[in-house]
Structure formats: structure tokens, C-alpha cells
Amino acid sequence: TRTSRPQRILKAVQRKATVGDPQSVITAIDHFCRHREWAMNVGDEKGSILDSVVNEVSPVTVLELGTYCGYSTVRIARLLPPGACVITLEFNPDYAAIARQVIKWSGLEDKVQLVEGASGDWIPWMKEHFGVQAFDLVFLDHWKERYLPDTKLLEECGLIQKGTVLLADNVICPGTPDYLEYVRNSPHYNSQYYRSHLEYTKAEDGLEKSVFLGY
Ligand SMILES: Cc1cc(-c2n[nH]c(CCNC(=O)c3cc(-c4ccc(F)cc4)cc(O)c3O)n2)ccn1
Ligand SMILES: [Mg+2]
């Protein structure tokens, strides 16, 4: 097919959503991915859990690993108060280009910093480049085999401190077994599993919320 799936998602947003209305962007993407083409957005069911965690944490600085088309970026940014922001990392330049336009359509570009590149390359530069002390919330939604190494890297770089909340998508499907084992057995994290379903399907999936307790 001539266009990519992310391009078709953007087209659905431009056709169905209202500029400056983040909820209409979320609704348009969910409708398209449920009724037209599946895509790897966190989706409406797990998205509601994400919303409740964002509201509970009321973070000032958020790190999102794995932007894709910007669906969860919009979900998070729409709940942030003035002055708060989400830094989101995307590896694939084509996904990043679409995400920028989706975020712009939602009117939330002032609350979002989208960075292109690999998590492992960028995390060590976060403090210096963005003036970040530590993250209040980290949403892990990138390559599943990078969840554990990047969590350890965030710890080493001092970007996780007492009270930081890690929220991980896809801990069942596709699955992140080594990450789950780590946060559930570490004395430095208090973890809980939110059972749900893989976006737009009946397959089991869920989010794992882990609060860092300090050293
Ligand atoms: C900064 C940085 C960023 C990245 C990065 N950027 N964007 C991503 C996307 C990662 N997401 C997924 O692969 C994913 C897959 C499924 C899925 C697929 C197929 C199935 F059959 C079932 C489930 C479902 C999901 O919800 C997912 O999130 N990684 C990588 C490295 N460094
Ligand atoms: Mg995901």
C-alpha cells in the first residue's frame, strides 16, 4: 500500500478530530484502530489506567519511551498542568514525523518534547540536555527488551529518585519477563499489576506500576 499505517492514522485524525481538542484526537485514533486497522497504541482500556496513574502522580516531568503515533503522549499531556511537560523518545523517524503532527493537531505541542533516537543513547544526556533533575513518571512503551536495561540506566544516571513512578505497558503481551522479575523482586520498588487487555483485542495484557522507594 502506498501510505503507511501511521500516515493512515494521521489522516483519520485530520478527518475526524477537531484541532486543539485532545479528546477528539484520542477518540479518532481509537475508532480507527478498533474498526479499521489495529495499531500498537496503548488504547482506550489501558489508556484509562494510564490516565488514573497520571492524575494520581500529577507529575511535573514525564519521560515516555516509545512515542509511535503520539496517542499516549496526547493522553498524558492533556492531563498535565501548565509548566509540566512530557519528554518522549521515538526511534523510528517516520513514526516521529507522524507523532509531531498528531501532537500539533491536539494543540499540546507546548507540553511535549519529542526526541528522535534510541533510549540507550539519549538517557545519559537527559540531565545535561533538558535540565531534568529526576522524572516523576516514566511510561515504558518501547522495545520490550529495553525495559530492564533502560530502567537500570535511568537509576545509574540519577533520573529515578524516591517516589518516581514507573508505568510499563505490555508486560504480558508482547511481554517483558526480565523487567517484571526485576521490579517485583527488588527491595527498592513497590510494584502492582493492573490487569487489562492488549489494545483493541481480547488478549490479556496489563500495566505494571512500580514506585521507587529510594536506596
Ligand atoms: C527511544 C526508543 C524508542 C523505541 C521505540 N519507539 N517506538 C517503539 C514501539 C515499541 N512498542 C511495541 O513494539 C509494541 C508492540 C505491541 C504488539 C505488537 C505485535 C503484537 F502481535 C502484539 C503486540 C503492542 C504494544 O503496545 C507495543 O507498545 N519502540 C525503541 C528504542 N528506543
Ligand atoms: Mg505498548
Side-chain angles (χ1 to χ4, degrees):
T1 51
R2 202 168 37 82
T3 62
S4 70
R5 183 165 307 182
Q7 282 169 324
R8 294 193 291 275
I9 288 172
L10 174 62
K11 214 166 268 13
V13 166
Q14 293 168 335
R15 267 204 323 267
K16 301 279 190 61
T18 308
V19 175
D21 175 358
Q23 189 54 55
S24 72
V25 169
I26 292 163
T27 303
I29 294 174
D30 282 330
H31 187 274
F32 180 81
C33 294
R34 188 173 289 281
H35 301 293
R36 292 277 179 278
E37 293 184 65
W38 185 91
M40 60 183 170
N41 317 116
V42 73
D44 46 355
E45 196 179 305
K46 289 186 289 179
S48 301
I49 300 167
L50 170 61
D51 289 356
S52 61
V53 171
V54 173
N55 284 326
E56 176 197 323
V57 177
S58 13
V60 174
T61 44
V62 182
L63 173 63
E64 174 180 64
L65 299 173
T67 316
Y68 188 44
C69 294
Y71 173 90
S72 48
T73 321
V74 168
R75 284 203 82 111
I76 295 167
R78 88 191 197 290
L79 299 175
L80 297 182
C85 83
V86 43
I87 297 170
T88 182
L89 294 183
E90 176 49 57
F91 179 75
N92 179 313
D94 300 326
Y95 296 172
I98 297 296
R100 288 188 202 286
Q101 296 173 77
V102 167
I103 292 160
K104 194 152 178 54
W105 196 274
S106 69
L108 293 165
E109 64 274 17
D110 295 345
K111 294 180 183 298
V112 178
Q113 289 254 24
L114 197 159
V115 181
E116 289 179 43
S119 47
D121 297 337
W122 267 99
I123 287 170
W125 294 104
M126 284 285 154
K127 287 199 177 208
E128 196 164 332
H129 196 87
F130 294 103
V132 172
Q133 288 315 307
F135 290 108
D136 304 304
L137 173 66
V138 181
F139 181 51
L140 297 97
D141 193 21
H142 61 326
W143 292 342
K144 308 314 159 193
E145 70 278 7
R146 290 296 312 175
Y147 283 29
L148 182 52
D150 287 340
T151 297
K152 291 180 171 172
L153 189 55
L154 285 163
E155 289 172 4
E156 285 153 23
C157 296
L159 288 162
I160 289 177
Q161 63 184 16
K162 191 169 163 35
T164 295
V165 173
L166 307 183
L167 187 67
D169 188 27
N170 309 119
V171 296
I172 303 299
C173 177
T176 62
D178 58 347
Y179 173 81
L180 271 191
E181 202 264 336
Y182 178 75
V183 289
R184 288 177 176 176
N185 296 331
S186 165
H188 301 292
Y189 289 96
N190 191 17
S191 263
Q192 84 186 85
Y193 176 59
Y194 294 83
R195 186 170 184 203
S196 184
H197 296 94
L198 176 70
E199 47 267 28
Y200 318 115
T201 78
K202 292 186 166 55
E204 182 181 349
D205 190 22
L207 301 173
E208 186 83 0
K209 185 181 93 169
S210 307
V211 184
F212 187 62
L213 303 170
Y215 291 106

